[in-house]
């Protein structure tokens, strides 16, 4: 449905050009929810705006529903108003001089074949009802709350039933509770309508909970595209592992390499760990192992025979309600561990932490 | 002073609270302001019913003044002239300013840097000098442009006559442009571009976006600018004074001046009666403006992050657009300066030729320098400007402070009183001050001094002053000063160490702004003029022009303009970009 190939975008700044997007490729299949995830300045919003036609690009091609809408080498550029898209802006961009109804009606009045009034009215009311704003159609737009503005922007974006829905951090201006609510609502709404959706966010939780596919962007490039589950389980590199969830990183050296699908051992500063390494890793290679805070088991006594166990001291405890956030000091290095909330430990306690070998992920391998 | 920063307690008004006087200093300031604004106003109103021929004397109350002022056809003509001049120049000027603002903000017109710098610079030109330069250019008998066109194209009569209502409208319109431009540039710049982008992705073509989204969104802002300029032109005195008085084309401001200058006996009663209608018109304008800006603020609530909007490519039209902008700058800036400079070098105005080149000398400048009155005038002007700036800043600061930081019961009233004098046209204000300080002469002998002129300007300027300082004060988070109190600082120390450094830019900006205006405005000091003791620069220029000393006036004009331009350029370098945006 949406295909982006080799997208490059440069910005002129006072001291030369800055490449905001440096060669991005991805494809969103019909009806799928695709998310561009990354920290601010990674080029995700520029990519989205290029798909919308709000930015011209310096290289690459964009295709919507089989039609090339932007092509730098071929000099094709379809204006945004001629693309069949709906978009929700981060600021919502609700037109302040129009009522709720007029805001939603506007895209319909711009159709080449303008539908009759009764049809327009019916479509507007249905769109408003889809976002649970029934009865508010006569309200002047500036009198809406933040949550209502967000819903209105969504209604305006879907009222034409566009082929593609573009969402630019639509939830970032809402408070935490409303955001959690809207995550569910937004996902079920676009699934119900079956619209192909391109979503931009810097919030990993939004990306993981809502998407079919997530593309993690860093420095103007896509680093990894995969399903949310795979992204969590098998981050491709150190950046992805650090960006999704809370990870601890350990640098080490490969001591022994087991045969395929067998345990290898890696020497790190505080001991030797058993883990699975990617194929074709050699003895003596330098690796970085990532371990998520929630994958550690924590106990007060050492269990016999268990591998990958480290001895440490509790140095900082945060009670989060659903869990305990602890820093465990092992040989002078702090390890971030998430423990069950009812675990009876205190600052200064001596504890043992263990991480199963399948939870040690090699995110960097360098042959020496 | 400690009680002024009373921070708790409900702001409810109960007489017990008032009588206990919780905020003695604030109350004192309020009383002072009431006296300062209401006393002249009441004297003016009483005076309009008094039939004494002496100013400052109240007797034989009746409606004769009103009969003399309003039961005449000429008054209708004056009303018509005032409305035509105002409507015509505001419409022309704001349209031109909007076009220029749109061109520099949203298109790829060339020479943007020059336009951004030069258009506001035209603000520095005093109205009197502008009008004089236009007479030198476009008067039917001696205007350079007229004479040049007559000889070049063989015309038998002069093509332009600036001593007409049309002439005044065109010049006043050009003078409206810079303020309107400065007010509209941020309007176009701050408009959330995602509003237009949302229309684009909704399928709206560029023209449809302009019509359905851009214009409606900025329309309330444009209306506010229109009303603002209407108030300004309504009280303008300089252009109709220099261009209209010789041709006996009166508007309200010049008529009131003319009546008080009556050849045999000045008719102050009639002037007061005329002032009533004039004041009403201005007051309605100010009320409308207050309402319009409130609406504009409501619209401004929704804004997003700013992407720089894509500039519209005008193609070859951009050179045509630059041509129009260039013509505007030529008429408002280049030609007036050139003509004043050329005339200042000659004993009498003459077209550039071999013969006139032989006459070129610096004699006029020598005359200005050795003429004794010049130095007295400069000293008066400096004193008046300094007193005006200091008074405006001090009064504005205390009013703003009370409004922003205390729970004083009279805050709303204080705010209103600061705004009230703005709704009284300068000429009327001068008339009212004249009355009251003639009455009070035995007790406060400031009539006939420069201090009274300063007082008049301060009253006009605190409306803008409190608004600009209130805005700056609101930016200083209350916790910054609370942290200072908790660190053991007293109120004066807190002010000196926390507020003053943070407010310096606002103070300097306000000082420069009031300096520019008090040098430029002529109506009020001219009305209050009593003799050498309180003659300031603008009055001096006016009088010399009246005496027909064109060369000396031009020389003085050139020097004044160079000084004002220099200050404006230095201010821009220092970052005070919108000095003088509000007249």
């Amino acid at each position: 449905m949406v295909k982006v190939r080799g997208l490059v975008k440069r910005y002129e700044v006072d001291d030369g050009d800055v490449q905001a997007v440096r060669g991005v490729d991805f494809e969103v299949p019909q009806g799928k929810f695709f998310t561009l995830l990354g920290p601010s300045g990674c080029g995700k919003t520029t990519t989205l705006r290029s798909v919308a036609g709000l930015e011209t690009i310096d290289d690459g091609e964009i295709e919507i529903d089989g039609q090339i809408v932007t092509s730098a080498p071929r000099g094709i550029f379809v204006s945004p108003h001629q693309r069949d898209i709906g978009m929700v802006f981060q600021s919502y961009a609700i037109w302040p001089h129009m009522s709720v109804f007029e805001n939603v009606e506007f895209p319909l009045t711009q159709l080449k074949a303008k539908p009759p009034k009764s049809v327009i009215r019916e479509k507007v009311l249905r769109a408003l009802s889809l976002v649970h704003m029934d009865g508010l159609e006569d309200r002047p737009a500036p009198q809406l709350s933040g949550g209502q503005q967000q819903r209105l922007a969504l209604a305006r974006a879907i009222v034409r039933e566009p082929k593609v829905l573009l969402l630019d951090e639509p939830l970032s201006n809402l408070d935490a509770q409303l955001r959690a609510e809207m995550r569910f609502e937004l996902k079920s709404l676009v699934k119900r309508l079956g619209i192909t959706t391109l979503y931009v966010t810097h919030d990993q939780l939004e990306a993981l909970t809502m998407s079919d596919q997530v593309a993690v962007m860093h420095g103007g490039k896509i680093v990894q595209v995969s399903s949310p589950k795979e992204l969590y389980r098998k981050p491709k590199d150190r950046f992805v592992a650090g960006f999704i969830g809370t990870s601890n990183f350990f640098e080490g050296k490969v001591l022994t390499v087991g045969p395929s699908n067998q345990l290898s051992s890696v020497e790190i500063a505080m001991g030797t760990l058993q883990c699975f390494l990617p194929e074709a890793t050699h003895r003596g290679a330098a690796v970085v192992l990532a371990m998520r805070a929630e994958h550690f088991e924590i106990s007060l006594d050492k269990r016999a025979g268990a591998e990958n166990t480290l001895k440490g001291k509790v140095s900082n405890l945060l009670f989060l309600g659903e869990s305990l956030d602890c820093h465990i000091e092992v040989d002078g290095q702090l390890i971030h561990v998430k423990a069950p909330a009812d675990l009876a430990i205190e600052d200064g306690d001596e504890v043992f932490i263990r991480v199963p070998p399948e939870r040690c992920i090699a995110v960097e391998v360098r042959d020496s | 002073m400690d009680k002024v920063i009373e921070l708790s307690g409900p702001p409810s008004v109960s007489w017990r609270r008032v009588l206990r006087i919780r905020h003695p200093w604030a109350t004192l300031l309020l009383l002072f302001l009431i006296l300062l604004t209401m006393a002249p106003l009441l004297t003016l109103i009483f005076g309009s019913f008094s039939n004494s021929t002496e100013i400052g004397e109240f007797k034989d109350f009746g409606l004769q003044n009103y009969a003399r002022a309003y039961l005449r056809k000429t008054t209708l003509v004056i009303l018509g002239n005032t409305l035509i001049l105002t409507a015509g120049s505001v419409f022309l000027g704001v349209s031109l300013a909007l076009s220029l603002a749109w061109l520099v903000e949203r298109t790829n017109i060339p020479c943007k840097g020059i336009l951004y710098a030069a258009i506001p610079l035209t603000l520095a030109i005093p109205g009197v000098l502008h009008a004089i330069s236009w007479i030198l250019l476009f008067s039917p008998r001696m205007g350079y442009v007229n004479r040049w066109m007559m000889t070049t194209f063989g015309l038998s009569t002069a093509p332009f006559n600036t001593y007409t209502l049309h002439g005044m409208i065109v010049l006043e319109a050009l003078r409206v442009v810079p303020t309107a431009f400065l007010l509209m540039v941020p309007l176009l710049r701050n408009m959330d571009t995602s509003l237009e982008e949302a229309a684009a992705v909704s399928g709206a073509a560029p023209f449809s976006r302009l019509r359905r989204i851009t214009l409606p969104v900025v329309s309330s802002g444009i209306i506010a600018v229109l009303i603002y300029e209407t108030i300004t032109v309504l009280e303008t005195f300089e252009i109709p004074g220099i261009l209209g008085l010789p041709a006996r084309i009166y508007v309200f401001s010049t008529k009131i001046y003319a009546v008080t200058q009556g050849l045999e006996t000045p008719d102050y009663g009639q002037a007061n009666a005329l002032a009533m209608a004039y004041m009403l018109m201005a007051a309605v304008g100010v009320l409308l403006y207050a309402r319009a800006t409130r609406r504009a603020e409501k619209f401004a609530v929704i804004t997003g992050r700013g992407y720089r909007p894509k500039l519209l490519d005008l193609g070859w039209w951009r050179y045509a657009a630059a041509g129009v902008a260039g013509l505007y700058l030529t008429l408002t800036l280049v030609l007036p300066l050139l003509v004043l400079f050329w005339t200042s070098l000659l004993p009498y105005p003459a077209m550039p030729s071999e013969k006139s080149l032989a006459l070129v000398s610096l004699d006029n400048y020598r005359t200005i320098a050795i003429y004794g009155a010049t130095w007295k005038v400069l000293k008066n002007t400096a004193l008046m400007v300094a007193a005006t700036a200091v008074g405006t800043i001090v009064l504005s600061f205390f009013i703003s402070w009370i409004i922003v930081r205390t729970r004083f019961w009279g805050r709303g009233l204080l705010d209103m009183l600061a705004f009230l004098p703005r709704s009284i046209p300068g000429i009327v204000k001068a008339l009212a001050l004249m009355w009251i300080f003639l009455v009070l002469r035995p007790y406060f002998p400031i009539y006939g001094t420069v201090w009274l002129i300063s007082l008049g300007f301060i009253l006009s300027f605190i409306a803008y002053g409190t608004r600009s300082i209130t805005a700056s004060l609101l930016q200083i988070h209350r916790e910054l000063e609370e942290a200072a109190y908790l660190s053991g600082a007293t109120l004066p120390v807190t002010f000196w160490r926390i507020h003053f450094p943070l407010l310096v830019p606002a103070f300097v900006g306000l000082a420069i702004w009031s300096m520019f205006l008090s040098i430029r405005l002529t109506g009020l000091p001219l009305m209050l003029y009593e003799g050498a003791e309180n003659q300031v620069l603008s009055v001096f220029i006016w009088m010399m022009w009246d005496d027909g000393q064109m060369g000396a006036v031009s020389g003085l004009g050139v020097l004044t303009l160079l000084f004002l331009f220099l200050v404006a350029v230095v201010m821009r370098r220092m970052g005070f970009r919108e000095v003088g945006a509000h007249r």
Side-chain angles (χ1 to χ4, degrees):
Chain A
M1 186 44 111
V2 176
K3 286 182 192 159
V4 173
R5 283 185 293 268
L7 173 60
V8 172
K9 172 76 189 173
R10 294 185 199 94
Y11 279 112
E12 273 176 49
V13 288
D14 291 341
D15 40 355
D17 281 6
V18 165
Q19 281 206 330
V21 181
R22 322 198 260 180
V24 159
D25 300 273
F26 63 88
E27 200 167 309
V28 188
Q30 163 71 37
K32 292 293 180 194
F33 196 117
F34 189 93
T35 299
L36 295 170
L37 172 68
S40 60
C42 71
K44 56 191 193 304
T45 294
T46 309
T47 305
L48 185 83
R49 289 170 59 84
S50 303
V51 173
L54 296 170
E55 305 279 354
T56 52
I57 63 176
D58 296 302
D59 201 8
E61 274 188 348
I62 300 168
E63 189 181 313
I64 296 178
D65 196 26
Q67 187 204 356
I68 305 261
V69 289
T70 307
S71 169
R74 280 191 267 173
I76 297 172
F77 184 78
V78 177
S79 295
H81 66 275
Q82 288 156 339
R83 301 184 184 196
D84 192 4
I85 47 179
M87 181 162 173
V88 175
F89 291 80
Q90 189 178 21
S91 71
Y92 312 141
I94 301 299
W95 298 309
H97 57 297
M98 296 183 185
S99 70
V100 168
F101 187 91
E102 289 165 332
N103 262 283
V104 183
E105 175 196 44
F106 185 84
L108 294 173
T109 63
Q110 300 300 317
L111 287 173
K112 278 214 185 77
K114 197 171 150 185
K117 267 215 167 116
S118 58
V119 175
I120 288 186
R121 184 164 179 82
E122 191 190 315
K123 286 192 170 191
V124 171
L125 293 183
R126 195 171 55 216
L128 285 173
S129 153
L130 276 173
V131 298
H132 306 296
M133 283 192 59
D134 316 67
L136 291 176
E137 55 268 18
D138 296 326
R139 191 76 72 82
Q143 284 178 20
L144 297 177
S145 69
Q148 288 171 327
Q149 284 185 27
Q150 203 270 337
R151 285 156 193 272
L152 174 55
L154 189 60
R156 188 177 67 188
I158 59 173
V159 71
R160 280 206 303 189
E161 294 156 33
K163 293 207 186 79
V164 179
L165 180 62
L166 306 174
L167 301 160
D168 184 9
E169 307 219 8
L171 304 183
S172 63
N173 285 338
L174 301 179
D175 60 62
Q177 206 172 359
L178 203 54
R179 203 182 306 171
E181 219 172 274
M182 282 307 293
R183 277 205 299 268
F184 285 106
E185 224 172 273
L186 195 59
K187 182 178 183 181
S188 70
L189 180 68
V190 295
K191 282 289 150 197
R192 207 158 8 124
L193 296 173
I195 301 181
T196 309
T197 306
L198 185 55
Y199 190 94
V200 158
T201 185
H202 65 267
D203 185 325
Q204 41 153 323
L205 202 59
E206 282 173 23
L208 295 181
T209 52
M210 296 164 76
S211 325
D212 296 315
Q213 287 262 296
V214 180
V216 180
M217 287 187 74
H218 182 44
K221 281 185 173 156
I222 291 183
V223 233
Q224 184 172 4
V225 185
S226 41
S227 71
K229 269 186 193 155
E230 185 148 320
L231 199 63
Y232 182 75
R233 284 202 198 126
K234 291 181 190 160
K236 232 186 209 165
D237 68 5
R238 191 174 177 154
F239 173 78
V240 178
F243 195 69
I244 313 274
T246 316
S247 296
N248 297 287
F249 296 101
F250 301 94
E251 285 169 22
K253 213 167 107 189
V254 179
L255 285 182
T256 60
V257 181
S260 175
N261 288 327
Q262 294 293 307
L263 286 177
S264 309
S265 58
V266 173
E267 185 186 30
I268 61 169
M270 29 196 125
T272 306
L273 294 178
Q274 305 290 314
C275 61
F276 297 96
L277 291 174
E279 306 233 349
T281 308
H282 299 291
R283 248 192 96 201
V287 293
V288 174
L289 297 178
M291 281 155 252
R292 298 196 179 282
E294 59 271 32
H295 289 155
F296 283 92
E297 293 156 13
I298 185 164
S299 60
L300 286 167
D301 50 339
K302 182 172 175 143
R303 285 174 204 152
E307 72 285 74
N308 289 2
T309 303
L310 301 168
K311 187 174 142 191
K313 209 170 85 180
V314 180
S315 82
N316 208 347
L317 268 183
L318 280 180
F319 178 65
L320 297 182
E322 49 190 19
S323 62
L324 273 178
D325 231 8
C326 0
H327 286 155
I328 311 288
E329 195 188 321
V330 180
D331 285 351
Q333 193 184 340
L334 285 180
I335 301 179
H336 202 142
V337 174
K338 217 168 221 176
D342 48 7
L343 187 73
I345 52 170
E346 275 176 53
D347 263 356
D349 279 0
E350 223 165 62
V351 291
F352 296 91
I353 52 173
R354 174 186 179 264
V355 60
E358 64 274 20
R359 297 298 198 184
C360 293
I361 307 144
V363 289
E364 234 180 84
V365 179
R366 257 192 338 259
D367 278 327
S368 49
Chain B
M1 203 65 183
D2 276 333
K3 288 221 171 84
V4 182
I5 52 153
E6 174 70 55
L7 297 173
S8 58
S12 68
V13 180
S14 82
W15 279 110
R16 207 152 9 124
R17 271 182 96 82
V18 176
L19 289 178
R20 252 196 292 146
I21 308 189
R22 307 261 329 213
H23 302 93
W25 293 103
T27 312
L28 210 64
L29 183 67
L30 182 69
L31 289 176
F32 178 63
L33 215 56
I34 289 176
L35 202 73
L36 222 53
T37 53
M38 298 315 277
L41 207 60
L42 289 176
T43 334
L44 192 73
I45 295 171
F46 275 124
S48 72
F49 295 104
S50 159
N51 281 312
S52 164
T53 49
E54 287 293 307
I55 185 169
E57 196 184 63
F58 301 97
K59 66 173 188 200
D60 302 333
F61 287 95
L63 289 171
Q64 290 89 329
N65 290 327
Y66 286 85
R68 240 178 10 268
Y70 293 104
L71 293 182
R72 274 188 199 173
K73 235 177 51 208
T74 49
T75 306
L76 269 183
V77 174
I78 292 167
L79 183 69
N81 286 344
T82 310
L83 292 180
I84 292 169
L85 173 65
T86 307
S89 53
V90 168
F91 179 75
L92 254 173
V94 172
S95 308
L96 184 56
L98 181 61
S99 314
L100 287 172
W102 182 75
L103 283 172
V104 295
E105 278 295 318
R106 291 295 172 89
T107 74
N108 61 346
I109 186 175
C111 309
K112 273 188 194 182
I114 295 175
L115 292 177
Y116 273 124
I119 294 175
L121 204 61
T122 58
L123 262 179
I125 306 176
V128 174
L129 291 176
H130 230 162
I132 288 173
S133 71
W134 267 51
I135 287 177
L136 293 171
L137 288 168
F138 297 111
S139 103
R141 265 199 286 163
M142 62 172 179
Y144 291 120
V145 173
N146 275 328
R147 273 160 51 184
W148 177 76
M149 285 185 85
M150 282 163 76
T151 48
T152 312
F153 302 107
L155 305 174
S156 56
T157 53
F160 302 110
N161 181 1
T162 192
Y163 292 110
T164 57
L165 206 50
H166 292 108
M168 289 190 245
I169 288 174
V170 172
L171 179 55
E172 193 63 48
L174 294 181
R175 289 183 57 76
V176 159
V177 169
T179 41
F181 176 81
L182 285 175
L183 289 170
M184 274 184 300
V185 160
L187 209 64
L188 288 174
R189 187 177 297 170
N190 295 342
M191 189 188 145
D192 185 355
T193 49
S194 68
L195 294 177
E196 285 165 333
E197 290 171 355
V201 296
S202 299
F207 181 70
S208 178
R209 298 203 284 270
L210 186 69
R211 195 173 56 86
R212 295 278 312 266
I213 309 294
T214 315
L215 281 180
V217 168
V218 295
S219 71
S220 62
I222 293 175
I223 289 172
V225 174
L226 278 173
I227 301 174
Y228 182 85
E229 297 297 348
T230 303
I231 304 169
T232 310
V233 177
L234 207 56
E235 73 166 315
T236 189
F237 172 79
E238 292 83 355
I239 305 302
I242 297 274
L243 297 183
L245 283 180
R248 296 186 180 281
I249 302 172
Y250 295 109
V251 294
F252 264 114
S253 59
T254 49
K255 179 68 183 174
I256 291 172
Y257 171 72
V259 168
T260 60
Q261 305 293 308
L263 284 180
E264 284 126 31
T265 48
D267 190 346
Y268 290 103
Q270 190 193 339
N272 283 21
L274 277 170
M276 292 297 136
Y278 187 31
M279 208 162 62
L280 206 68
M281 282 163 67
V284 169
V286 169
L287 272 179
L288 285 177
Y289 180 67
R291 276 191 57 173
T293 45
R294 256 209 307 279
R295 263 192 73 209
E297 277 156 20
K298 203 178 79 189
F299 267 22
V301 171
I302 306 171
T303 51
R305 59 183 166 172
Y307 270 94
R308 225 186 310 161
K310 247 198 342 232
L311 299 178
L312 189 70
D313 189 354
L314 291 178
W316 285 98
W317 282 102
R318 63 206 199 103
Y319 298 108
V324 172
L327 183 67
Y328 161 75
L329 285 178
T330 309
L331 280 178
T332 15
L333 207 58
V334 181
L335 277 184
L337 255 178
L338 283 181
V339 77
L340 285 179
F341 183 61
W342 173 246
T343 311
S344 73
L345 299 176
L346 296 175
Y348 50 86
M351 292 293 282
S353 66
E354 261 178 61
K355 217 176 93 190
S356 56
L357 267 176
L359 294 170
V360 165
S361 73
L362 290 176
D363 280 352
N364 287 317
Y365 291 94
R366 204 168 301 130
T367 314
I368 296 168
I370 56 169
Y371 189 40
T374 311
W375 302 102
K376 178 76 182 159
V377 162
L378 288 181
K379 197 183 128 210
N380 284 343
T381 310
L383 282 176
M384 183 273 288
V385 166
T388 305
V390 171
T392 305
I393 288 169
V394 170
L395 207 55
S396 301
F397 172 73
F398 281 115
I399 295 170
S400 299
W401 171 277
I402 289 168
I403 290 170
V404 174
R405 288 289 198 255
T406 73
R407 295 190 164 278
F408 176 50
W409 55 270
R411 283 175 303 165
L413 195 59
L414 215 50
D415 195 26
M416 214 185 71
L417 283 173
F419 203 61
L420 180 75
R422 181 68 182 81
S423 66
I424 306 174
I427 285 283
V428 179
K429 210 172 307 165
L431 188 64
L433 287 174
M434 208 156 118
W435 276 84
I436 181 104
F437 282 99
L438 274 173
V439 174
L440 294 178
R441 201 174 206 168
Y443 321 102
F444 295 102
I446 68 167
Y447 182 80
T449 66
V450 289
W451 313 120
L452 187 57
I453 299 173
S454 290
L455 182 66
F457 280 140
I458 291 169
L459 280 176
S460 306
F461 295 169
I462 51 174
Y464 172 73
T466 49
R467 263 146 199 81
S468 84
I469 296 201
T470 297
S472 305
L473 262 181
L474 284 173
Q475 308 232 315
I476 301 177
H477 200 284
R478 173 171 263 177
E479 285 169 5
L480 289 178
E481 67 177 83
E482 285 170 356
Y485 296 139
L486 294 177
S487 315
T490 57
L491 182 67
V493 171
T494 306
F495 172 74
W496 184 243
R497 297 290 303 278
I498 309 290
H499 292 103
F500 188 72
L502 292 171
L503 284 174
V504 161
F507 285 164
V508 175
L510 190 56
I512 299 294
W513 175 84
S514 50
M515 184 189 97
F516 259 76
L517 274 191
S518 53
I519 290 181
R520 235 163 52 194
L521 291 173
T522 312
L524 185 127
L526 188 63
M527 280 289 278
L528 296 174
Y529 170 69
E530 266 297 301
E533 269 314 297
N534 75 345
Q535 190 176 37
V536 291
L537 189 60
S538 54
V539 176
F540 189 50
I541 291 176
W542 175 281
M543 303 257 157
M544 279 170 90
W545 176 254
D546 246 12
D547 284 352
Q549 303 178 38
M550 292 180 195
V553 165
S554 302
L556 208 54
V558 168
L559 295 176
T560 309
L561 284 177
L562 285 181
F563 172 71
L564 290 175
F565 284 152
L566 196 72
V567 175
V569 168
V570 169
M571 286 340 286
R572 273 180 66 83
R573 287 260 172 254
M574 286 170 61
F576 297 101
R577 284 182 174 267
E578 294 191 9
V579 163
H582 301 258
R583 275 203 260 189

